[in-house]
Amino acid sequence: MPKRFPSSRNAGFTLIEVAIALVIASIIAAGALQMYKIYTTSRTYKVTRENISELNTAMQVYLSKYGSLPCPSTLTAKPSDPEYGASPDCDEILSSPSITVDEEFVLGEGRSGEKVLIGKVPFRELNVRQTISKDGWGRDLYYAVSATLTNTSTYSQYGGVIDVVDEQGLSLLKEDTGVQYVLYSTGSDDAPPGSDRCVEEKADFENCNGDGTFKYAAISLGQNESFYDDTVSYVSWIESPDAAGECSIASYMVDNAGMDYEDIVGTLKDQNSVYLKPGDMAYMCNRRLLSALDSKNCILFVCNGEGVLRRVSTIE
């Protein structure tokens, strides 16, 4: 009897078919990997911004309680050291001749040659969890402060000496006063202030070169001179008129934006954000109301001891 040979239709995959399948699988895997990288990067920056926002609130609580800003924590302390996250005596630190020699702090120069002290976030002094003082990469956040504002006797609402510039190097400060303090993450490239990893050719060089000027710019992860992966938040006081002797955000909006009172109250909804008692504070991040005040940043309103509403502009 004649022999029967298997039909080619029933044969296994050819090498070409296997190769095509592998190429398709690799393309799908590459796309999935890219999507995962985008997700993790977005999540990392979100955690960083949330932690910095919480620290900003803690800073204002500290200021309201003590009448000055805390001194930065040392750059060199390890988690096992008692100095880690603690706030030393700034007057003692600033008077020490070895302040920069031992690399525990970076001493920058701000406006009019005034001192800017750079270290890590003193989370113990701020009474926040250690995890809040870290960015999305799990690294310590950095804190730069106008040195005179760390002492109650020399503190002034409008005494900030730190400068903040944009991508073109232009100042972001419309007022004569400088920035009180800066909270920032050095991003994925982890270039601490004053370190050898601070590369002049990168756009985020301004945030690690150890001076009293910082850059606030859009994230750009291209491997070129525009590379910028930092998250920067700064706080400066803006001189504003008194709110008719009453801490009312709605009244402030009426006086400064010409909006209808009922419209403002309906937009804010939370009555605690409409009326503030002395010592209270509230963030306003409603885009519509911020637009009416010609502000792109969230605004922190603080009711001081005299029952006068003050506005703090902060980028988060």
Side-chain angles (χ1 to χ4, degrees):
M1 294 183 63
K3 294 183 178 180
R4 295 175 59 91
F5 293 94
S7 171
S8 59
R9 294 175 181 268
N10 299 324
F13 292 112
T14 66
L15 290 177
I16 294 177
E17 291 172 329
V18 171
I20 292 174
L22 289 174
V23 169
I24 294 173
S26 63
I27 292 173
I28 294 173
L33 180 60
Q34 183 64 25
M35 290 298 293
Y36 180 73
K37 286 182 178 179
I38 293 173
Y39 167 78
T40 55
T41 299
S42 176
R43 176 63 183 169
T44 299
Y45 279 107
K46 183 176 185 291
V47 170
T48 301
R49 289 192 299 269
E50 288 175 347
N51 287 352
I52 288 178
S53 179
E54 190 165 336
L55 287 172
N56 268 323
T57 301
M59 283 284 186
Q60 296 307 317
V61 171
Y62 183 95
L63 175 60
S64 177
K65 183 176 182 180
Y66 296 104
S68 64
L69 293 171
C71 194
S73 183
T74 172
L75 291 167
T76 55
K78 298 178 180 179
S80 58
D81 298 332
E83 298 85 7
Y84 181 70
S87 181
D89 185 331
C90 251
D91 290 336
E92 183 178 331
I93 296 298
L94 292 168
S95 63
S96 172
S98 63
I99 182 173
T100 57
V101 175
D102 55 17
E103 298 182 345
E104 289 191 358
F105 300 92
V106 170
L107 188 63
E109 184 175 302
R111 295 184 173 189
S112 303
E114 295 291 334
K115 296 177 180 178
V116 175
L117 196 59
I118 306 172
K120 292 184 179 180
V121 175
F123 62 87
R124 298 183 192 275
E125 193 75 9
L126 293 173
N127 196 30
V128 298
R129 303 187 308 278
Q130 179 181 333
T131 53
I132 300 301
S133 68
K134 296 181 179 294
D135 61 19
W137 288 271
R139 305 186 184 113
D140 293 324
L141 290 165
Y142 295 97
Y143 167 52
V145 62
S146 302
T148 57
L149 305 187
T150 61
N151 189 308
T152 304
S153 63
T154 56
Y155 176 83
S156 169
Q157 289 180 344
Y158 311 106
V161 300
I162 299 173
D163 274 316
V164 177
V165 298
D166 61 14
E167 293 94 332
Q168 286 73 43
L170 302 176
S171 178
L172 288 169
L173 308 177
K174 297 180 180 179
E175 308 292 330
D176 293 334
T177 182
V179 166
Q180 286 196 336
Y181 68 86
V182 175
L183 293 168
Y184 64 104
S185 161
T186 56
S188 59
D189 62 348
D190 188 25
S195 72
D196 294 337
R197 293 199 293 275
C198 188
V199 181
E200 189 170 359
E201 287 72 26
K202 292 184 178 181
D204 57 5
F205 173 72
E206 193 66 80
N207 297 334
C208 60
N209 62 0
D211 64 10
T213 300
F214 293 83
K215 178 179 287 188
Y216 180 86
I219 301 298
S220 176
L221 303 181
Q223 297 303 311
N224 50 43
E225 66 277 1
S226 298
F227 181 88
Y228 184 95
D229 67 342
D230 294 358
T231 301
V232 175
S233 169
Y234 65 85
V235 169
S236 62
W237 281 89
I238 296 178
E239 190 85 49
S240 59
D242 297 349
E246 166 183 72
C247 288
S248 166
I249 294 179
S251 296
Y252 180 93
M253 293 292 298
V254 170
D255 295 339
N256 292 274
M259 297 183 67
D260 180 74
Y261 185 89
E262 296 300 327
D263 183 21
I264 298 166
V265 173
T267 302
L268 289 173
K269 295 180 181 179
D270 181 5
Q271 291 300 314
N272 293 327
S273 295
V274 179
Y275 296 102
L276 301 179
K277 297 178 294 184
D280 286 349
M281 59 187 70
Y283 273 105
M284 187 178 77
C285 292
N286 182 278
R287 291 185 179 181
R288 177 167 167 266
L289 298 184
L290 291 175
S291 178
L293 290 173
D294 193 27
S295 176
K296 296 180 180 179
N297 316 321
C298 292
I299 295 174
L300 175 66
F301 285 104
V302 180
C303 186
N304 68 13
E306 289 74 41
V308 175
L309 188 68
R310 294 296 182 187
R311 166 183 168 180
V312 183
S313 178
T314 176
I315 286 184
E316 299 180 34

